[in-house]
Amino acid sequence: MYVIDKRNEVISKIDGGFMNNIEKIGTIIKCFALALGLFVSIMPARASDAAPRFLRIPVLFITDRNLAPPKKHPDAVDFGPHRKYIGECKHDPYMGTAYCVMPNVEGKQLDKHLTDLGWAAAQGKEKEGDFKATL
């Protein structure tokens, strides 16, 4: 059925109502599928693909400062303000690795390159600014 105006022009086509509802439902399903597809495409595929909130970043160091472990934690590695050798240097510096926990403000993913360099996701108990050194 067609609706015609005074100038004999077709204004709209009416198909009895049943087909219009099916077309509307089809359009709604298509829109829902499109919205779902867009939502899924912006989400990470797995929880492990999400960028960690904090990263543990290694720092390789070499120092000639005197070893001065804190009294409360004698097994911890810490250095004092003075040189290791007073007078003649024996060229035997301390070398080791330290790490620092930093917030992942850039949302970096831990890929093979970063893990090869020693980067890791911070553990649940670690917080921003935590650090530890080993010789």
Side-chain angles (χ1 to χ4, degrees):
M1 175 183 287
Y2 295 95
V3 176
I4 301 175
D5 68 355
K6 295 179 188 177
R7 290 178 249 144
N8 290 329
E9 294 177 4
V10 175
I11 295 175
S12 65
K13 178 182 172 185
I14 301 174
D15 281 341
F18 182 71
M19 290 301 289
N20 281 341
N21 287 339
I22 290 177
E23 289 173 6
K24 288 178 185 176
I25 291 171
T27 303
I28 290 171
I29 290 172
K30 289 175 187 174
C31 289
F32 178 74
L34 178 65
L36 181 64
L38 290 173
F39 178 74
V40 169
S41 69
I42 62 171
M43 297 298 293
R46 293 170 286 177
S48 62
D49 289 344
R53 190 166 167 220
F54 290 96
L55 295 171
R56 186 182 330 132
I57 302 170
V59 178
L60 303 175
F61 68 88
I62 190 167
T63 185
D64 67 345
R65 296 293 152 179
N66 65 316
L67 191 60
K71 291 179 182 175
K72 291 183 180 180
H73 303 286
D75 57 334
V77 175
D78 200 3
F79 298 98
H82 305 290
R83 293 195 181 271
K84 182 177 178 181
Y85 303 107
I86 298 175
E88 187 178 330
C89 181
K90 296 185 172 54
H91 301 292
D92 186 25
Y94 292 111
M95 293 180 277
T97 305
Y99 75 81
C100 185
V101 175
M102 303 293 292
N104 188 3
V105 295
E106 294 181 11
K108 287 188 179 286
Q109 296 286 341
L110 287 173
D111 58 8
K112 183 175 178 352
H113 179 70
L114 290 175
T115 54
D116 287 347
L117 290 172
W119 288 42
Q123 303 301 317
K125 62 185 178 188
E126 295 175 327
K127 59 185 182 211
E128 181 179 355
D130 281 354
F131 67 93
K132 184 178 181 181
T134 56
L135 293 176

